[in-house]
Amino acid sequence: TSLADQSHRVSDKARALLTAPLDRTTFRTALDILKDPDETLESQLLALQWLSAAARKLGPDERRLLHEVTSALAADAAEAAPLRARAMRSAVAMSALMRDEDEMSQLSISAENEFMVRMAEDRSLDPSILAAAIKGIEVLRITEGIALLEKTLADPEEQRMPDVTRRACLALT
């Protein structure tokens, strides 16, 4: 179901983002929605979508903060799988943008690469999160993840997760 179909579950605070211009206040509001455990999943997904759409308009400090928040959400096992997968995709997009803008240190890049590979290796995760991590290996061109992707495709057990194997195939092409 789309967010529009779930509009009755979106808080007024999150709904207000739909027509709000990007400024420091709305950026902080969207981050607060993401981090608020009392917000609905739909409100958090909407805030994350809004922040992701605004990513190129953010300054380096805001991009770094958004990357930290989305990476933490993606890693948090207590969060719902749809939010974790969307946060993973957003963290990857932020990382790619920050790398392109030369806003990440080599140490940060190495840590990010390790995080992506570790997430892609964790078969206890929901397939949507695994697929997002594998997409991260592709987008960020993480060479350390190639062996994992090849292993994923060679393992008959992995065939039970078509989204994961499809993503691994695409990442290797």
Side-chain angles (χ1 to χ4, degrees):
T1 44
S2 71
L3 286 176
D5 296 336
Q6 302 292 324
S7 63
H8 65 283
R9 296 184 190 172
V10 174
S11 69
D12 290 339
K13 189 163 63 167
R15 191 173 287 112
L17 290 174
L18 294 173
T19 57
L22 174 64
D23 59 26
R24 287 186 189 273
T25 303
T26 54
F27 175 76
R28 282 287 177 195
T29 298
L31 282 180
D32 289 345
I33 291 168
L34 275 182
K35 296 189 281 184
D36 185 348
D38 293 330
E39 283 286 355
T40 64
L41 173 62
E42 293 79 12
S43 293
Q44 290 174 311
L45 287 169
L46 186 134
L48 187 50
Q49 186 174 6
W50 185 86
L51 285 164
S52 296
R56 291 208 174 272
K57 297 175 188 170
L58 299 174
D61 292 337
E62 288 87 4
R63 282 195 286 259
R64 193 171 10 270
L65 181 56
L66 180 55
H67 180 261
E68 288 171 12
V69 169
T70 55
S71 294
L73 280 172
D76 189 347
E79 295 293 349
L83 182 61
R84 290 182 72 192
R86 182 66 182 106
M88 176 72 72
R89 291 190 297 274
S90 293
V92 167
M94 283 284 85
S95 183
L97 179 59
M98 291 166 61
R99 289 175 190 206
D100 289 347
E101 297 294 325
D102 226 11
E103 296 172 357
M104 286 184 90
S105 69
Q106 194 55 48
L107 185 61
S108 294
I109 290 171
S110 294
E112 178 85 0
N113 291 355
E114 288 174 21
F115 171 70
M116 282 298 148
V117 172
R118 193 172 56 253
M119 293 293 283
E121 285 175 326
D122 187 350
R123 291 306 183 248
S124 69
L125 295 175
D126 183 88
S128 65
I129 301 167
L130 288 173
I134 290 170
K135 177 69 174 177
I137 290 171
E138 174 191 0
V139 169
L140 301 175
R141 298 180 294 280
I142 301 172
T143 56
E144 301 90 345
I146 292 172
L148 171 66
L149 299 178
E150 291 170 340
K151 179 181 164 194
T152 297
L153 293 175
D155 187 349
E157 285 293 310
E158 300 292 334
Q159 303 310 313
R160 295 179 297 123
M161 295 187 284
D163 289 343
V164 173
T165 52
R166 183 175 28 260
R167 188 76 262 154
C169 276
L170 290 170
L172 288 171
T173 57

